[in-house]
Amino acid sequence: MKTIIIGGGPAGMIAAISAADSGSDVILFEKNEKLGKKLFITGKGRCNVTNNCEKDKFFDNIMGNSKFLYSAFAKFDNHALMELIESLGTPLKVERGERVFPVSDHSSDIIRALTKGLKDRAVEVRLNDSVKEILTEDNIAKGVLTDKGEKYTADKVIVCTGGVSYKSTGSTGDGYIWGSKTGHRITTPKPSLVPLVTHDKWVYDLQGLSLKNVKLSLYIDGKVKYSDMGEMLFTHFGLSGPLVLTASAYLASAKDYKEAYVIIDNKPALSFEEFDKRLIRELTAGNNKEIKNILGEIYPSKMAKIICGLAGIDQYKKCNEIKKEERNALVEITKKMKIMVNRTRDFDEAIITHGGISLKDVNPKTMESKLIKGLYFAGEVLDLDALTGGFNLQIAFSTGYLAGCNEGGGYYEY
C-alpha cells in the first residue's frame, strides 16, 4: 500500500503516522521549508493542542455538522492524541477551560514530537516540494504531479492543505482548487475566530481599552445567537478579544443575514435596578462635581466621555443637575451598549476558515471522497470548524488519523 499526503500541518502529520501504522509506505509533501508552520503560531506560540473535555462537551463546541465527526473522534479522540504526544517525548498540561498545552509552553515541542513520530515510522518527508495536480483516472486517484514536473503514483492520496487563513503559512486554498476540479462541492470559505469591524465610529476612540468580566451577546437579524461573559478589546477598526472571536464563529456560520450587532452589558453582576441604585449613590455623593468625573469611578476613565455622549448628556454637567431621564439613559447604555457590526476582518487575521470541501461529498467513516476512489480529505480543508479551546486542532488530528487508517472508523451515525 502506497499513500501520498499533501500538507505537513497537524492533519497531514497525524495522517502520515496513522497510514504508516496501517502498513503503508508514506510520502508527505510539504511546500514550506518545514513542517507545522501554522501549528507553530497557534495558541500565541504555546499550541493549545486539544481540549481535555469529555465527548459531549467536545461536540457542543463544533459549529455545525458535528455528527460527521463521530467516527473520526471514536477512532482517535483527545485522550488518544494526548497519549500519543506524550509517548513521543512531549509532556502535556491542562489549564483553565480544559485547554491542553505542552508543559514547556513551546509549540515547537508539539511539532518536534510529531516529527519524531514520522521519523520513527520511516515516513518520507519532502519539504519545499509543492503538488501541482492530483492525478485521477476513471474517478480513481492515481497519484500526484509536483510543480517540478515529477509524477508519483499511489493507492491513496490524502489532502491536508488547510483553509485560507494565515496564507503566509502556506494555507492558500489549494485543496479547494483540487476538490473543485475533481467535482466536489465547496462551501464558500469565510474567516472565523476573527475580530469584527463595527459601523459605530465611537468604538475607534476606545482603541486599546480592554474590558474584563463583561457580558457580550451577538444578535443576528434580531435574534441572539451567542452570549457569554469574559474579556473583549476595542480596536482601531472595531472589536476583538476572546468573546468577540467566539462571536465571529456564529457570524461566519450565519447565512444571508441582513443585520448584526452586539450588546455589551458592562455590569453583568448588577441588575438594572441595582445599578440604578448605585448610580444614585454616586451622583448624590458627587453633588457639585462634573458627571464625567463621577463616571470615571464607575467605568474605565477612557469610557466616561463616550458613555456621556451615548446617553446624550453634557459631560460637564453637575451631578446634582442630572435628571431621572438622563440617569435612566446611563443605566440603559451601561447594561445594553449596542454596537452595529459591518463584517469580520479578513482571512489574514482569522484563526481558522469556515467552509471548504462539502461534507456531502466525503464519507465520514473513512474521510474518503464519495466521488473519487482513493482520494481523502482531512483537517481544515473540510467544511468543519469549532470554537476556540483546542477543538479545531482536535478536528484536524481526528480526521487526519482516520483518513490515514486503512480499516476506517469504528462508529458511524450520520
Side-chain angles (χ1 to χ4, degrees), residues 121-186:
R121 292 161 176 79
V123 171
E124 182 181 349
V125 177
R126 300 186 65 88
L127 300 175
N128 293 304
D129 210 345
S130 298
V131 170
K132 181 178 182 180
E133 182 182 350
I134 295 174
L135 304 175
T136 63
E137 184 180 314
D138 297 326
N139 295 326
I140 300 173
K142 294 294 186 178
V144 300
L145 173 68
T146 70
D147 281 344
K148 298 174 183 177
E150 299 172 328
K151 290 184 178 181
Y152 294 83
T153 60
D155 304 291
K156 188 173 186 176
V157 176
I158 308 176
V159 178
C160 304
T161 50
V164 286
S165 58
Y166 289 117
K167 290 183 179 180
S168 60
T169 64
S171 299
T172 52
D174 296 339
Y176 304 151
I177 296 172
W178 299 327
S180 182
K181 284 183 176 179
T182 48
H184 299 82
R185 288 165 285 187
I186 310 296

Side-chain angles (χ1 to χ4, degrees), residues 64-355:
N65 305 312
S66 61
K67 289 183 178 180
F68 181 88
L69 280 170
Y70 284 176
S71 288
F73 195 75
K75 187 70 175 180
F76 191 72
D77 65 10
N78 46 353
H79 303 297
L81 172 65
M82 293 166 67
E83 183 179 340
L84 174 64
I85 291 174
E86 292 197 314
S87 74
L88 292 170
T90 297
L92 302 172
K93 61 181 176 180
V94 180
E95 296 187 359
R96 179 176 57 87
E98 295 296 300
R99 298 171 186 237
V100 180
F101 295 88
V103 169
S104 66
D105 284 330
H106 294 145
S107 56
S108 56
D109 286 341
I110 298 296
I111 299 170
R112 191 175 297 113
L114 295 172
T115 302
K116 181 180 184 301
L118 299 175
K119 186 176 181 180
D120 290 347
R121 292 161 176 79
V123 171
E124 182 181 349
V125 177
R126 300 186 65 88
L127 300 175
N128 293 304
D129 210 345
S130 298
V131 170
K132 181 178 182 180
E133 182 182 350
I134 295 174
L135 304 175
T136 63
E137 184 180 314
D138 297 326
N139 295 326
I140 300 173
K142 294 294 186 178
V144 300
L145 173 68
T146 70
D147 281 344
K148 298 174 183 177
E150 299 172 328
K151 290 184 178 181
Y152 294 83
T153 60
D155 304 291
K156 188 173 186 176
V157 176
I158 308 176
V159 178
C160 304
T161 50
V164 286
S165 58
Y166 289 117
K167 290 183 179 180
S168 60
T169 64
S171 299
T172 52
D174 296 339
Y176 304 151
I177 296 172
W178 299 327
S180 182
K181 284 183 176 179
T182 48
H184 299 82
R185 288 165 285 187
I186 310 296
T187 303
T188 303
K190 299 178 184 177
S192 188
L193 302 183
V194 63
L196 300 177
V197 178
T198 63
H199 173 77
D200 299 286
K201 302 296 190 290
W202 58 263
V203 173
Y204 311 161
D205 295 331
L206 294 174
Q207 65 173 297
L209 176 63
S210 178
L211 299 181
K212 296 182 179 180
N213 300 317
V214 297
K215 181 179 180 181
L216 182 145
S217 301
L218 172 71
Y219 287 77
I220 299 177
D221 289 338
K223 295 181 180 179
V224 62
K225 295 297 183 180
Y226 164 75
S227 187
D228 203 0
M229 287 180 59
E231 299 181 27
M232 58 164 289
L233 174 70
F234 292 100
T235 72
H236 66 283
F237 55 77
L239 305 173
S240 190
L243 287 175
V244 174
L245 296 187
T246 300
S248 76
Y250 291 88
L251 195 63
S253 298
K255 296 179 180 179
D256 301 322
Y257 64 88
K258 297 179 181 178
E259 181 184 74
Y261 57 88
V262 298
I263 297 288
I264 300 170
D265 184 346
N266 291 278
K267 301 292 179 182
L270 300 176
S271 66
F272 278 75
E273 294 75 15
E274 289 169 336
F275 181 69
D276 187 35
K277 289 178 181 178
R278 179 186 172 183
L279 193 55
I280 291 173
R281 290 196 303 270
E282 297 286 353
L283 291 172
T284 301
N287 192 22
N288 204 40
K289 292 182 179 179
E290 294 174 346
I291 181 67
K292 67 184 177 94
N293 295 325
I294 291 301
L295 294 184
E297 299 294 325
I298 300 175
Y299 317 97
S301 57
K302 205 171 185 180
M303 284 186 70
K305 179 181 177 180
I306 298 294
I307 291 286
C308 285
L310 294 174
I313 301 172
D314 182 351
Q315 62 177 317
Y316 299 107
K317 196 170 186 177
K318 300 295 190 290
C319 290
N320 55 20
E321 296 174 347
I322 297 298
K323 299 176 182 179
K324 182 179 178 180
E325 292 76 15
E326 293 173 317
R327 196 183 75 238
N328 289 341
L330 287 172
V331 173
E332 184 74 11
I333 291 298
T334 299
K335 296 289 292 178
K336 296 179 66 175
M337 181 180 281
K338 184 176 181 179
I339 302 173
M340 301 302 298
V341 175
N342 280 347
R343 58 179 177 84
T344 67
R345 292 286 273 184
D346 297 327
F347 283 109
D348 285 343
E349 296 179 51
I351 294 175
I352 52 116
T353 303
H354 170 84

